[in-house]
Amino acid sequence: MIRAVRVRVPATSANLGPGFDALGLALGLYDDVEVEVAGSGLSIEVSGEGEDTAGRGADHLIARTFRATYERLGGELTGLRIRCVNRIPHARGLGSSSAATIAGIVAARALHPAGETFTDDDVLALATRIEGHPDNVAPCLAGGLTIAWQAPGGARLTRMDVSSRVRPVAFVPDERLATERARGLLPDTVPHADAAANAGRAALLVAALTATPELLLDATEDRLHQSYREPAMPASLDLVERLRAKGVAAVISGAGPTVLALTFRDGEVDSISAEVGTSWHIHPLNVAPHGARVQPIHQ
């Protein structure tokens, strides 16, 4: 029986402008997690982003999701060793909690003798219950571009390849923002015209990302959530507006405050760096074609 695994999970960006709570993109920025089933005790080491989370013990998100999955599969967990090397910024709208959730679940699936019975659909369903919505966990699990939705039987996803011309660029501020605060600014209802406009733009965005990047600027227009969140991240919305005025398809990544630009022209990243200024950490990224990857550690 395998006793230890290494899991690599990608950052993700949800919404992508108009695809609120539905569209998600896997990004080439990764957390690496090693998990070992031990005889007793709990040990958690974290380096990089979120070093302060190591002291949470059994409440650490990876420990909680691992235990929930392992026990759901019928196992009794006596001890656990977790080592995280984190690169995904925390509380910035890049899916750090979804990455931790998926890492814990797929690690438990790999280490439990009955893990083969736990399908990707099961992983998605459990991760969605933990996270509350599937838009970030879906691309973290499947890679590429995903559309996720809630069906009567639970969360579902479909995955698509992104055009090789698309190059995401993340502009990450130092400030953090809790997802709960960002969601709390959203109204209970929106005008019908805004909902209709977003439906059309979300459909167009799928075509733009997969086949026709020239349409990205129009396709990323949003009326449902970004402007309502401006009080929580005025600098982010200002950057989005300035980039879009320059013809760059910029959006708030997830609940923010990171700004994501979907570029496709040669030299576009260099041309917009001057517009951004020095108060942002600029990360040119690739689209991650794969979601969570698991590798046994032979001891």
Side-chain angles (χ1 to χ4, degrees):
M1 183 178 70
I2 298 173
R3 302 291 297 180
V5 293
R6 181 178 295 108
V7 183
R8 168 162 278 201
V9 282
T12 53
S13 182
N15 304 328
L16 307 178
F20 183 67
D21 276 3
L23 296 183
L25 192 66
L27 303 172
L29 181 66
Y30 300 91
D31 285 352
D32 290 310
V33 180
E34 294 182 1
V35 183
E36 176 187 358
V37 175
S40 61
L42 173 63
S43 172
I44 302 175
E45 299 177 20
V46 181
S47 61
E49 294 283 341
E51 290 181 348
D52 57 310
T53 66
R56 295 178 183 174
D59 288 331
H60 190 277
L61 184 53
I62 294 178
R64 286 194 286 113
T65 56
F66 185 97
R67 181 178 296 277
T69 309
Y70 203 81
E71 293 178 350
R72 176 171 174 170
L73 287 166
E76 183 177 349
L77 192 62
T78 56
L80 193 61
R81 305 284 184 267
I82 300 172
R83 180 176 180 271
C84 307
V85 178
N86 293 340
R87 303 174 187 88
I88 304 172
H90 283 208
R92 304 298 208 293
L94 289 170
S96 61
S97 65
S98 291
T101 296
I102 291 292
I105 295 173
V106 300
R109 177 173 70 172
L111 291 172
H112 193 282
E116 291 183 356
T117 65
F118 204 67
T119 67
D120 281 354
D121 287 342
D122 296 326
V123 173
L124 179 65
L126 179 57
T128 299
R129 282 198 292 274
I130 293 169
E131 283 289 292
H133 39 87
D135 51 354
N136 278 109
V137 293
C140 188
L141 176 63
L145 170 67
T146 59
I147 305 172
W149 68 98
Q150 294 278 11
R156 302 285 304 278
L157 73 82
T158 187
R159 180 201 176 280
M160 287 152 286
D161 291 325
V162 174
S163 168
S164 61
R165 298 168 59 198
V166 175
R167 290 288 183 271
V169 184
F171 303 95
V172 184
D174 290 327
E175 297 78 15
R176 298 185 176 192
L177 177 65
T179 300
E180 292 78 11
R181 182 186 175 199
R183 281 189 171 268
L185 293 171
L186 299 180
D188 292 331
T189 61
V190 297
H192 184 276
D194 289 348
N198 261 56
R201 290 300 196 269
L204 182 63
L205 182 53
V206 174
L209 284 169
T210 58
T212 320
E214 291 83 1
L215 300 175
L216 279 169
L217 183 61
D218 284 346
T220 49
E221 183 182 350
D222 166 70
R223 298 189 192 178
L224 284 188
H225 64 102
Q226 293 185 156
S227 62
Y228 295 108
R229 290 169 162 170
E230 185 173 9
M233 48 182 138
S236 297
L237 267 297
D238 176 69
L239 178 57
V240 167
E241 291 171 2
R242 286 190 286 120
L243 290 176
R244 294 187 68 83
K246 297 287 186 180
V248 179
V251 298
I252 297 296
S253 181
T258 290
V259 172
L260 187 75
L262 298 169
T263 70
F264 65 93
R265 302 180 186 91
D266 291 339
E268 193 169 6
V269 175
D270 294 335
S271 69
I272 62 180
S273 295
E275 183 69 31
V276 173
T278 59
S279 59
W280 301 81
H281 302 281
I282 304 175
H283 299 274
L285 300 169
N286 293 318
V287 175
H290 304 288
R293 308 296 290 270
V294 181
Q295 178 184 3
I297 299 175
H298 299 288
Q299 300 176 318

